[in-house]
Amino acid sequence: MIKKNVANYKIRLESGIMLLLLVIGMTACVTPYQPDTVSIASSLVVEGQVSDQPGPYTIKLSRTADYSYKSLNLLETGATVVISDNRGNQETLTEQLPGGTYQTRAAGMQGVAGRSYRITIQTKAGKRYESDPEVLPAVPPIQKLYYESNYTTAGGQTWAVLLDTKDPDTLGNYYKWNWTHYEFTAACQKTFLPAKNIYTGISCCTDCWDITRCYNCISLSSDININGKAISRQPISEVPFTSRDKYYIEVEQQGISLGAYAFWKSVRQLTSNTGGLFDAAPSTVKGNIRCVTTPGELVYGYFGAIGLSVGHLFVDRSAGQGNPQVDFPTEIPYPTKPPCIACTNSLYRTSIKPQWWIY
């Protein structure tokens, strides 16, 4: 009996050792999965336009980066950027700090309806890029800018901003609408204190406004079916109920070219895809800029020439139904100056008083 138990033990021990060696062998043969990094050639990205309103006009240059940089675009510095028209007028833009942004002079070139404009770019590396000529179209004025209250038990209180205008009798007019919200802020730096559910802030050294835009709200229209007729109740934006204070919004009505209309329509289609079965496959949106020194090189973006009509609106939210969805309050321990922080002009903040601000 003892011999039999010892034999069984040896069999189980040998089986266990074999199983352990098998597991170790399998583990040693498995290589951790490392997905390939998707690489794309570094390409120039151009953003900017001229209009029939006074400048300065801004052109932003960057380069696409490899996905190992988390799709960060790198600033294209040290370039020579020139805007010219078909009458022989031109202006070389000045690069702004920290770089990658180029501007005309405040009293420099101004676009004129009916003239064509192009941009040429000479990079620090010696490559030359240029856009196709872009004719600056005239645009009708905004006739009416107004808002209506929207309240539902499910969605709560909002306000719809609407626009009326009149399309000219000539066929071939294309429109794009943008909006910008400005809100006065007393704090140029805020830190959230979870223990108190408040922000503590440091005041701005000067008057300062926070800026809100919607970068994926691409609102377009053409006069293919409405030539010469009124454009009524054109949706612009939806105002949130985050306060009972007035909501200040500026609206741009842009007259754009057929090429710009096609470009932004493609961008809108790609950004609105939900990943469904019948969505359009991702693709490169073709702009109007090409590389002269290396034909066939991909260049992203669009240089536009636009007619511009601008309006403003104060939305009165004092009679909103229900309670505003307010943020946590901000306490400024040092309301006097100093100490304070400079209000730095950027995409999200400005020290320049909005054109129609009255408060």
Side-chain angles (χ1 to χ4, degrees):
M1 177 65 73
I2 294 175
K3 290 183 178 180
K4 184 177 181 179
N5 289 339
V6 170
N8 289 338
Y9 174 76
K10 290 178 65 178
I11 292 172
R12 289 197 301 269
L13 180 61
E14 290 172 357
S15 299
I17 292 173
M18 291 296 294
L19 179 62
L20 178 61
L21 291 174
L22 179 63
V23 170
I24 293 174
M26 291 175 64
T27 305
C29 293
V30 174
T31 302
Y33 174 67
Q34 297 289 346
D36 293 334
T37 301
V38 178
S39 296
I40 57 175
S42 178
S43 300
L44 187 68
V45 181
V46 182
E47 304 172 71
Q49 59 197 16
V50 299
S51 76
D52 57 1
Q53 301 298 307
Y57 307 129
T58 300
I59 303 295
K60 296 179 182 178
L61 302 181
S62 58
R63 283 199 173 269
T64 57
D66 193 277
Y67 281 107
S68 59
Y69 289 94
K70 298 182 180 179
S71 298
L72 174 70
N73 281 4
L74 308 175
L75 299 178
E76 181 72 16
T77 61
T80 301
V81 181
V82 178
I83 297 175
S84 58
D85 67 13
N86 60 331
R87 299 284 188 90
N89 303 302
Q90 66 177 38
E91 181 172 353
T92 301
L93 284 65
T94 303
E95 187 171 10
Q96 310 296 305
L97 294 176
T101 299
Y102 302 79
Q103 278 190 344
T104 61
R105 294 176 291 109
M109 173 181 285
Q110 179 173 338
V112 178
R115 296 185 186 179
S116 63
Y117 295 84
R118 74 164 68 222
I119 188 173
T120 57
I121 301 164
Q122 185 85 16
T123 67
K124 189 166 49 178
K127 284 195 172 183
R128 181 178 175 85
Y129 302 81
E130 64 180 33
S131 68
D132 298 329
E134 185 86 350
V135 176
L136 195 156
V139 67
I142 297 173
Q143 291 184 335
K144 186 180 180 182
L145 194 59
Y146 53 102
Y147 64 92
E148 293 179 355
S149 174
N150 286 334
Y151 175 79
T152 62
T153 54
Q157 175 73 67
T158 59
W159 290 264
V161 176
L162 306 169
L163 177 147
D164 292 348
T165 189
K166 172 71 166 58
D167 181 69
D169 293 332
T170 55
L171 187 63
N173 297 291
Y174 302 90
Y175 301 95
K176 183 174 183 287
W177 290 277
N178 292 338
W179 61 267
T180 306
H181 164 58
Y182 294 89
E183 185 172 0
F184 186 83
T185 180
C188 277
Q189 178 177 303
K190 296 197 299 185
T191 303
F192 185 62
L193 302 179
K196 296 183 177 181
N197 279 338
I198 64 168
Y199 292 96
T200 180
I202 301 178
S203 62
C204 304
C205 297
T206 60
D207 286 346
C208 195
W209 288 264
D210 285 336
I211 302 173
T212 302
R213 299 181 177 92
C214 183
Y215 292 99
N216 61 348
C217 300
I218 301 175
S219 182
L220 302 168
S221 186
S222 73
D223 66 349
I224 293 176
N225 298 319
I226 58 161
N227 182 44
K229 299 179 181 178
I231 300 176
S232 299
R233 301 181 60 79
Q234 171 66 37
I236 300 298
S237 71
E238 194 170 77
V239 174
F241 191 24
T242 52
S243 169
R244 293 193 183 274
D245 294 338
K246 287 183 172 63
Y247 185 97
Y248 176 84
I249 185 171
E250 292 185 5
V251 177
E252 288 184 353
Q253 178 168 279
Q254 300 180 0
I256 61 176
S257 68
L258 173 59
Y261 176 78
F263 172 83
W264 288 110
K265 190 174 181 180
S266 297
V267 172
R268 183 177 64 182
Q269 181 179 2
L270 289 177
T271 57
S272 62
N273 282 352
T274 59
L277 179 62
F278 300 104
D279 280 347
S283 61
T284 300
V285 179
K286 182 175 176 56
N288 65 343
I289 305 164
R290 63 186 181 278
C291 182
V292 178
T293 51
T294 310
E297 176 183 316
L298 284 177
V299 186
Y300 298 100
Y302 199 97
F303 173 71
I306 64 171
L308 198 60
S309 177
V310 183
H312 75 287
L313 187 67
F314 285 95
V315 179
D316 186 359
R317 299 183 289 179
S318 61
Q321 300 184 56
N323 295 318
Q325 299 176 352
V326 296
D327 198 0
F328 295 110
T330 299
E331 292 185 356
I332 301 179
Y334 310 105
T336 57
K337 309 163 188 177
C340 63
I341 293 179
C343 180
T344 305
N345 291 313
S346 68
L347 285 173
Y348 311 103
R349 181 167 288 172
T350 183
S351 60
I352 301 171
K353 182 179 178 180
Q355 184 175 356
W356 293 282
W357 189 270
I358 59 176
Y359 297 103

